[in-house]
Amino acid sequence: MRAWHVEAPGPVTGHPMRLHSDDETPRPGPGELLLQVLACGVCRTDLHVTEGDLPPHQSGVTPGHEVVGEVAAVGEGDTAGFRPGDRAGGAWLRSTDNTCTFCRRDAENLCPASTYTGWDADGGYAEYMTVPAAYAHRLPPGYTNEELAPLLCAGIIGYRALKRAELPPNGRLGIYGFGGSAHLAAQVALARGATVHVLTRGEQAKRLALELGAASVGEADGMPPEPLDAAILFAPVGDLVLPALAALDRGGTLSIAGIHLTDIPPLNYEKHLFQERQLRSVTSNTREDAREFLGFAASHKLKITVHPYPLDHADQAQRDLKAGRFDGAAVLIP
Ligand SMILES: [Zn+2]
Ligand SMILES: [Zn+2]
């Protein structure tokens, strides 16, 4: 089978990934599914793996953790009811130990023994991959394979970031940065009655925000037209933490969605935190977050902008993502 491998992590302009055309198709271990990949999203985290911003966990790993597949085979033992021919999703969280204090208190996203698809184990930039059945997802009807792919990380993480922002009912939400994850989280918030203000650079992103129903759009470092009950920072830019905190009303919460953020400049207690404003990070997601979000997607048709690339052009897709050459989500099609 064909599969990409990160052979020398470094800038995507220097070809850190190589496409192999004669890899052996993996075999599903006990409790695992073999997925024939139908579509795989290209997430910014893949870029961090490819470029080495995330330290390599497995040399020559195949990236990709927004995987829409068809179950081609199942391993021995419990495969969570999945059968050959089912459509199934593979996401970032690949496994946890189920026994640590975090797993036992419904915070498996913090499990120190967790492993990740496309970082600790080979992911979906390939024709086939394996996934533990207990961590595979059932996918909502009403979407194409291409549309489903970005839901599996961008969508789930955006959803968790929205939960972590603790937006009150009918509250005022600020969204800083408006890429793949943000435009899905915005649709969830809007469907639940929020007023959404989008602060981002880029005319196309601003136009999309207004089309989806944002009440206002403005520059990323500007001020929204009214104080915010909650905000989510999607742009990986630490400088924006200051204006986002300053825009919060009393008791407001800022959640930072990214796995990677540039340094945050010094905060001024009075201006940025006093009046019980809160600053929170978001780390991965639980399977429950994924089930909730995919359930939401089943009952509300989300508008998803995708840019398909053939699997053989995965390196180009990553270069285009890095250069910001498209809005929405790049998706690889084997
Ligand atoms: Zn654990
Ligand atoms: Zn991702």
Side-chain angles (χ1 to χ4, degrees):
M1 67 163 191
R2 286 173 300 150
W4 286 89
H5 295 270
V6 178
E7 297 198 334
V12 282
T13 44
H15 305 282
M17 282 198 304
R18 274 259 306 276
L19 178 65
H20 296 200
S21 57
D22 55 355
D23 276 12
E24 241 174 86
T25 303
R27 293 158 70 96
E32 289 186 345
L33 310 176
L34 175 67
L35 297 184
Q36 181 182 2
V37 179
L38 304 172
C40 180
V42 177
C43 174
R44 193 162 288 277
T45 302
D46 303 340
L47 208 54
H48 295 320
V49 170
T50 306
E51 298 206 306
D53 299 327
L54 288 175
H57 277 189
Q58 186 201 296
S59 82
V61 75
T62 298
H65 57 272
E66 296 180 323
V67 187
V68 176
E70 182 179 307
V71 178
V74 298
E76 311 258 306
D78 183 5
T79 52
F82 282 103
R83 296 217 177 84
D86 289 351
R87 196 157 67 157
W92 179 235
L93 184 69
R94 189 175 195 275
S95 72
T96 58
D97 59 12
N98 283 310
T99 56
C100 72
T101 50
F102 303 102
C103 285
R104 280 186 281 130
R105 68 173 200 221
D106 295 328
E108 66 181 3
N109 59 308
L110 302 178
C111 178
S114 54
T115 66
Y116 299 94
T117 311
W119 190 24
D120 296 287
D122 288 336
Y125 287 24
E127 290 178 283
Y128 290 90
M129 66 172 282
T130 58
V131 58
Y135 293 80
H137 298 290
R138 293 181 194 282
L139 299 171
Y143 296 90
T144 64
N145 296 325
E146 289 88 338
E147 288 173 328
L148 285 170
L151 298 187
L152 285 162
C153 178
I156 297 168
I157 290 290
Y159 181 82
R160 182 169 181 88
L162 180 60
K163 272 171 78 170
R164 295 277 297 156
E166 294 196 351
L167 180 67
N170 303 311
R172 301 158 296 176
L173 175 69
I175 293 183
Y176 291 78
F178 205 67
S181 201
H183 91 291
L184 294 168
Q187 292 178 67
V188 177
L190 287 161
R192 291 176 173 174
T195 300
V196 174
H197 299 288
V198 172
L199 299 104
T200 190
R201 60 177 188 189
E203 289 314 306
Q204 251 182 307
K206 289 192 177 99
R207 213 171 315 130
L208 176 61
L210 290 172
E211 266 169 43
L212 293 174
S216 79
V217 293
E219 287 306 309
D221 56 357
M223 279 300 258
E226 60 180 342
L228 305 172
D229 300 304
I232 308 172
L233 176 58
F234 285 100
V237 182
D239 288 340
L240 294 178
V241 169
L242 276 61
L245 284 171
L248 291 177
D249 205 346
R250 296 171 174 226
T253 301
L254 169 63
S255 86
I256 298 176
I259 192 169
H260 188 77
L261 187 75
T262 59
D263 285 348
I264 303 172
L267 301 179
N268 176 275
Y269 185 61
E270 183 72 30
K271 199 171 156 195
H272 299 120
L273 283 176
F274 195 58
Q275 302 294 0
E276 304 201 343
R277 284 169 289 175
Q278 297 191 64
L279 175 59
R280 295 174 151 195
S281 66
V282 176
T283 299
S284 183
N285 63 273
T286 65
R287 282 173 284 175
E288 183 57 24
D289 296 327
R291 281 189 282 268
E292 285 174 22
F293 173 68
L294 294 170
F296 178 90
S299 56
H300 296 74
K301 175 68 178 159
L302 296 167
K303 187 174 182 291
I304 304 156
T305 312
V306 294
H307 295 264
Y309 287 79
L311 175 63
D312 293 7
H313 294 180
D315 52 350
Q316 186 62 47
Q318 287 199 341
R319 287 196 289 271
D320 291 350
L321 173 65
K322 188 169 187 192
R325 290 199 191 98
F326 54 79
D327 285 307
V331 178
L332 305 176
I333 310 294

